[in-house]
Each structure stands twice: as structure tokens, then as C-alpha cells.
Amino acid sequence: MKKAFIVTLIFGVISAEAIELELLSGDTRSACEAILCLASPVKPPECASAIARYFSIQFKKPWKTLQARKNFLNLCPVDSSNDPEMYKYKNDILVHLDGECSVSSLNNRVERKVIRIDRICTNNGDETICNDVNVYGFRINPEPTNSCRLLSSSAYTDFNLKYTCNSKFYEKEEWERGYELKEVSQEIYNALPLSQKEQKEKLIKISSYEYSKLPKNQRKRTNFQYYRIGIAYYQKIFIKKDCWINEK
């Protein structure tokens, strides 16, 4: 890990003069790197081993985990006795983390819930059978993790997280393809860029008499309902999935 990274990661809190990582090794060096790396929501590859070492400190009894983490962090030769904020960061925040916090990890937290229940009916000729089917919605979770809340509360971290998406849940088909469809007039459709255009078949209810007058390729019948097959024009509204940003 380069000294320049150390200086910029925590703005002067732990200076290059206070920690000379080049002179440290083993768990002492890893403890210092963990203190520095966990303070940023964007972590370079050099942080991986120190963070993994820190979160490997885990015991069945929570109090043992807390004490072992404190002992590990205290290996780093930084005196926080006269700095209440640094003492809080080391002893009240870092030791209670249940995982690291990063912009990428927050944007990978997909939330799923039932947004409605559809009744689907089929007719096999003798009877009509109906079943209730759960329709699921998906979104990037708008709530920060416990670790992110803790880290954001410290003056010695670089966290200023913000959720930039709406709170809407998108149906599975929309979520997986990456966009929802908004029906528009043909005039608006024609003015759209090609990347935003989509046409789909649209069923328009008609009477049985109208149905009988249409060619077979222009009509459809389902469950005693008669339809004319038309064309609907849609604009693609792309779904934003990189919802979390860090404003610092």
C-alpha cells in the first residue's frame, strides 16, 4: 500500500509520519491497514488481505469477538487516548462491524417482495381451474447496512452515502431485461432514438360479431373473451441499478 494512499484515505487523521507502514509487518501492519481501509467506501485491491484478516476475527461469544478485535486494532501504533473521535472509531465502531461497507456491495443488495397476487385461470374443456400466483418485485435495497450506518457516523471516515434511485419495485421481467415499457403514441414513438423503441402485440377487446369478421391472423380468443390483435408502441425506460453513490 502506497504512502500517498494512506494520506488521502483519511485526511490527515493518521498521517504518514504517525504510521510508516513500510516499517511494519505481520498483524501490526494488517491492523493499521484495516483501520485505514475500512474508513473508505471505495477500496483498492491492496486492502483485500487486511480486511479479510480483520473479519476473520470471529468467536461464538460476541464479547470475545469484540475483545479480540480491539486487541488486534491496538497492535497499530496509533495513540488515540487524547482523541475521542479516533477512540470511538477504533473501539466503538470498527469492532461492531458485521461486514465491510462499500458502494459496490450496497448496489449488489437486491431486495425482493410480493407486489401483488394475480389470479390465473385455465380451461381444460371440462372445467376452469384458477390459481393465485405471487408476482415479485425487485429493487436495490434503499436501506444501508448496519456497518454502513456505523461507519457513516464517524468523523474519521470518508462515508457520505446517498441512495439516488426511487423506491419502486420492478416486476421480474422488467428487472431482468433492465427496462420497463411506457406506452406512447405512434408520433412520440417515431421521434424516439432506436435504443428506446419497442413494439409489442396488443389485444383489444371486441364483440363476438367483430371477431367473426376479422382474418384469423388478426384475432385471438381466450376464456370466452374476443380480441383484435393490434400493435402497441412503447418507450423503454431503463432501470437504474447503481443506486448508491458516495458524495465525498
Side-chain angles (χ1 to χ4, degrees), residues 125-161:
D126 297 323
E127 61 178 337
T128 299
I129 301 174
C130 295
N131 294 293
D132 291 334
V133 177
N134 291 337
V135 177
Y136 289 93
F138 299 82
R139 70 178 180 183
I140 301 300
N141 195 322
E143 296 298 322
T145 62
N146 179 61
S147 291
C148 289
R149 288 192 185 94
L150 286 170
L151 289 166
S152 296
S153 70
S154 174
Y156 283 166
T157 69
D158 200 19
F159 285 83
N160 188 17
L161 298 166

Side-chain angles (χ1 to χ4, degrees), residues 230-241:
I231 296 294
Y233 300 93
Y234 295 94
Q235 178 181 5
K236 295 179 183 179
I237 309 297
F238 293 97
I239 299 171
K240 180 177 170 63
K241 295 183 180 180

